[in-house]
Amino acid sequence: MKVKVIPVLEDNYMYLVIEEITREAVAVDVAVPKRLLEIVGREGVSLTAVLTTHHHWDHARGNPELARLRPGLAVLGADERIFSLTRRLAHGEELRFGAIHVRCLLTPGHTSGHMSYFLWEDDCPDPPALFSGDALSVAGCGSCLEGSAQQMYQSLAELGTLPPETKVFCGHEHTLSNLEFAQKVEPCNDHVRAKLSWVQKRDEDDVPTVPSTLGEERLYNPFLRVAEEPVRKFTGKAVPADVLEALYKERARFEQAGEPRQPQARALLALQWGLLSAAPQE
């Protein structure tokens, strides 16, 4: 399994997942279809399906044109509002693309129909991959627009049960600001400090910061650390969902107080990552 990371729009990512034996490919969150098809052609693969995490335009706006250009293409997701949806998926449903298994995980909160996708191959040494859309990002998570903090907590807890080596491919490049907020939450967290230093170097070079791993996220992502004493102390709350809700409010204040940043990854057409090829984080 090979994952092509494709920066689009201002700070979005779409992805092309390639099954290297059959050369079958699946796209995730298509926002710019012509750019995707350029890469499909360059790779010499057969695009068979689109997995859409949620209905927001920056994750699904490319579906109609892609469906027009590729008649018969399956467009899959969990929300009827997704453009050009051909089949609605259910929580726990499993799909198969060549040797690649896909488990569909309903993760509401950002939207009511948000679906994350867990991919793996049998008898393969490479770690599995999670395409988390706006449910989980590197060092952060998406805003809670259509659900409660309790729902989002349950969604993040669901993702937290996946293997720690799982590679996390999220929907946006928000890592730098996420880690700056994480440092405010836990100023004495050495994992936050080290990751922030690594990300600052990548920001200077305009290079994407995905993927991370779930194991890493548990060390520095405050939204996955709601049971940890420093995070509870920062929020003044004890119940996990209350801690999460307080983090959302503090994150919003943090964004309002900060200066707008130029988004990363705008200059890159596509960056190829094998699931084991992420650069070391020093």
Side-chain angles (χ1 to χ4, degrees):
M1 178 164 57
K2 180 168 69 175
V3 177
K4 302 282 289 187
V5 178
I6 310 170
V8 291
L9 306 179
E10 289 194 344
D11 59 19
N12 277 75
Y13 288 122
M14 62 183 183
Y15 299 98
L16 183 68
V17 185
I18 299 170
E19 205 273 38
E20 296 189 270
I21 296 175
T22 64
R23 307 302 292 168
E24 186 175 356
V26 180
V28 180
D29 282 357
V30 178
V32 185
K34 290 184 178 179
R35 182 173 295 181
L36 175 72
L37 291 178
E38 287 174 3
I39 297 170
V40 166
R42 190 181 310 143
E43 291 289 321
V45 297
S46 174
L47 181 66
T48 59
V50 173
L51 301 174
T52 303
T53 60
H54 60 294
H55 74 283
H56 288 164
W57 71 276
D58 56 330
H59 295 261
R61 73 173 204 167
N63 290 352
E65 184 178 358
L66 191 60
R68 180 182 64 81
L69 295 172
R70 294 294 174 95
L73 185 71
V75 178
L76 308 175
D79 194 322
E80 294 291 350
R81 295 173 291 180
I82 292 172
F83 303 135
S84 302
L85 188 73
T86 61
R87 185 162 73 84
R88 188 173 181 177
L89 300 171
H91 176 67
E93 185 173 350
E94 293 198 1
L95 312 172
R96 187 79 179 262
F97 301 100
I100 300 175
H101 298 264
V102 181
R103 182 179 302 147
C104 304
L105 302 173
L106 190 63
T107 46
H110 181 66
T111 67
S112 59
H114 192 289
M115 185 74 85
S116 299
Y117 301 98
F118 178 65
L119 279 65
W120 78 96
E121 289 182 274
D122 291 332
D123 303 318
C124 177
D126 291 352
L130 173 68
F131 295 89
S132 56
D134 286 356
L136 175 68
S137 57
V138 182
C141 70
S143 55
C144 200
L145 298 179
E146 294 183 358
S148 64
Q150 179 64 37
Q151 273 187 312
M152 183 59 90
Y153 169 69
Q154 291 171 339
S155 294
L156 293 175
E158 173 87 31
L159 298 181
T161 65
L162 299 174
E165 67 271 19
T166 301
K167 297 287 185 180
V168 178
F169 295 91
C170 59
H172 291 273
E173 181 56 64
H174 292 164
T175 308
L176 183 58
S177 61
N178 285 345
L179 282 163
E180 289 172 341
F181 175 68
Q183 190 170 57
K184 179 181 179 181
V185 177
E186 294 188 89
C188 296
N189 186 323
D190 290 339
H191 300 289
V192 172
R193 188 180 300 111
K195 184 74 173 184
L196 178 57
S197 176
W198 179 81
V199 167
Q200 287 168 336
K201 294 175 183 177
R202 296 186 76 78
D203 182 64
E204 291 171 1
D205 295 332
D206 198 26
V207 178
T209 62
V210 294
S212 63
T213 71
L214 273 177
E216 293 169 357
E217 292 297 322
R218 292 169 185 152
L219 297 175
Y220 53 65
N221 188 330
F223 295 90
L224 290 183
R225 294 174 54 78
V226 293
E228 300 296 327
E229 182 58 31
V231 180
R232 293 168 63 181
K233 183 177 180 181
F234 174 80
T235 61
K237 305 292 182 180
V239 177
D242 294 342
V243 176
L244 189 66
E245 186 172 21
L247 283 174
Y248 275 123
K249 292 178 181 177
E250 290 297 329
R251 184 69 168 92
R253 294 189 189 100
F254 181 81
E255 289 179 351
Q256 290 171 359
E259 295 181 1
R261 292 185 173 277
Q262 291 297 317
Q264 280 193 25
R266 188 177 290 174
L268 294 176
L269 173 64
L271 179 68
Q272 176 179 317
W273 287 80
L275 287 180
L276 288 177
S277 64
Q281 298 171 13
E282 299 177 349

